[in-house]
């Protein structure tokens, strides 16, 4: 099975070859990582990050602020999100819903990531976020994200893994926003909330078993603390749900 590997890791670019992948990547699809965050120029996404040569990085949310400095992406504002959005027009803007429908109607090929392994290290700062917020990874979403439409590809149709601020881990399946199915896993920190100012790793793996069923797996690294000398150890990762 072939995978696209996505890595969002704070620190220096030499780190990336040492991040253990659980599944072999597809050599025909370039993996994405955050090495371009190590540019010497601090910046905000507006909404794209023009240092990302893949043109995938996109800021989304309600009045979000996504800033990059010294290899770390800092997110603030209301519902800040980083999309890896492959729907790129020549003018660097994303497709409107109308344009998206037209592309589907004409059966033009779409760039779509099916089997994915996403690795993120996350450090929570502050405790004013709601309990249901936290570290969230979504795969297979519409490029325009949440809509209430029931037409074609405009569905949110996203698989999520979530490490909530209150310490609970969840899978979510969303077909049309805001209707979701939730699967709850064990508490991550024995009933305690996510710790502050501590790097935590999440791996979210999504892949098809066949044409009608999809497998989700989520792992946590509570051991390495994002330390460059420790993150290469595959034993750091503990599966917490599938």
């Amino acid at each position: 099975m072939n995978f696209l590997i996505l890595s969002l890791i704070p620190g220096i670019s030499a780190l990336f070859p040492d991040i253990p992948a659980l599944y072999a990547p597809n050599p025909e699809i370039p993996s994405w990582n955050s090495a371009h965050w190590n540019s010497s120029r601090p910046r905000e996404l507006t909404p794209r990050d023009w240092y990302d040569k893949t043109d995938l990085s996109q800021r989304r949310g309600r009045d979000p602020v996504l800033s990059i400095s010294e290899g770390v992406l800092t997110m603030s504002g209301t519902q800040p999100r980083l999309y890896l959005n492959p729907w790129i027009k020549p003018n660097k803007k994303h497709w409107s819903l109308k344009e998206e429908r037209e592309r589907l109607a004409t059966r033009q090929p779409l760039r779509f990531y099916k089997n994915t392994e996403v690795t993120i290290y996350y450090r929570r700062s502050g405790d004013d976020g709601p309990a249901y917020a936290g570290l969230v990874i979504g795969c297979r979403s519409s490029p325009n994200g949440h809509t209430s439409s029931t037409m074609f590809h405009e569905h949110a149709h996203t698989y999520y893994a979530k490490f909530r601020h209150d310490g609970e881990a969840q899978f979510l399946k969303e077909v049309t926003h805001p209707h979701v199915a939730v699967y709850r896993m064990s508490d991550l920190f024995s009933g305690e909330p996510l710790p502050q100012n501590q790097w935590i790793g999440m791996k979210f793996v999504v892949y098809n078993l066949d044409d009608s069923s999809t497998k989700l797996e989520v792992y946590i690294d509570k051991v390495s603390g994002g330390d460059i000398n420790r993150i290469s150890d595959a034993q750091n990762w503990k599966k917490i749900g599938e």
Side-chain angles (χ1 to χ4, degrees):
M1 184 173 294
N2 293 322
F3 278 77
L4 170 73
I5 308 298
L6 308 172
S7 299
L8 297 92
I9 313 295
I12 60 174
S13 58
L15 240 145
F16 298 110
D18 296 328
I19 301 296
L22 302 176
Y23 295 91
N26 182 348
E28 297 181 0
I29 301 178
S31 295
W32 188 96
N33 65 45
S34 54
H36 56 279
W37 293 356
N38 295 298
S39 165
S40 59
R41 181 180 178 182
R43 60 195 182 276
E44 291 187 7
L45 277 66
T46 59
R48 296 282 180 177
D49 180 5
W50 306 120
Y51 282 76
D52 182 358
K53 300 304 182 183
T54 68
D55 291 327
L56 294 178
S57 303
Q58 182 184 20
R59 180 200 68 201
R60 300 289 292 272
R62 297 178 181 174
D63 299 321
V65 178
L66 274 65
S67 58
I68 297 171
S69 179
E70 299 181 351
V72 176
L73 172 70
T74 301
M75 307 174 75
S76 59
T78 304
Q79 298 181 359
R81 300 167 184 159
L82 175 66
Y83 274 50
L84 298 184
N85 186 351
W87 289 61
I88 308 300
K89 300 168 68 173
N91 61 2
K92 305 294 186 180
K93 295 183 179 180
H94 66 278
W95 300 94
S96 69
L97 292 177
K98 180 176 182 295
E99 291 169 325
E100 188 179 345
R101 286 198 300 269
E102 290 173 348
R103 285 170 62 85
L104 287 168
T106 57
R107 298 182 181 276
Q108 295 181 4
L110 306 178
R111 186 178 175 188
F112 180 69
Y113 298 129
K114 183 171 66 175
N115 300 321
T116 54
E117 177 178 338
V118 185
T119 304
I120 294 179
Y121 279 85
Y122 166 81
R123 183 175 63 191
R124 181 187 182 192
S125 298
D127 59 0
D128 57 344
Y132 59 80
L135 173 58
V136 184
I137 303 175
C139 294
R140 303 190 183 183
S141 172
S142 163
N144 285 291
H146 294 159
T147 74
S148 58
S149 171
T150 57
M151 295 182 63
F152 302 114
H153 199 51
E154 295 169 22
H155 290 187
H157 58 67
T158 308
Y159 293 106
Y160 292 102
K162 177 184 286 192
F163 289 175
R164 292 168 42 122
H165 281 155
D166 61 7
E168 183 176 293
Q170 295 179 340
F171 284 131
L172 296 89
K173 179 180 179 180
E174 182 178 48
V175 177
T176 303
H177 183 71
H179 305 294
V180 297
V182 179
Y183 175 77
R184 292 176 171 83
M185 293 170 273
S186 61
D187 289 334
L188 299 172
F189 295 92
S190 302
E192 297 296 319
L194 288 188
Q196 297 185 52
N197 301 313
Q198 175 182 329
W199 288 108
I200 300 169
M202 180 203 279
K203 277 186 180 289
F204 184 34
V205 184
V206 181
Y207 57 97
N208 277 19
L209 297 174
D210 51 45
D211 291 340
S212 61
S213 57
T214 302
K215 182 73 176 290
L216 309 180
E217 301 175 5
V218 67
Y219 301 76
I220 190 170
D221 172 10
K222 297 190 290 186
V223 179
S224 73
D227 188 320
I228 186 173
N229 298 310
R230 302 180 67 189
I231 61 172
S232 61
D233 188 351
Q235 299 302 313
N236 294 337
W237 295 99
K238 177 184 178 183
K239 182 186 286 186
I240 58 173
E242 63 179 331

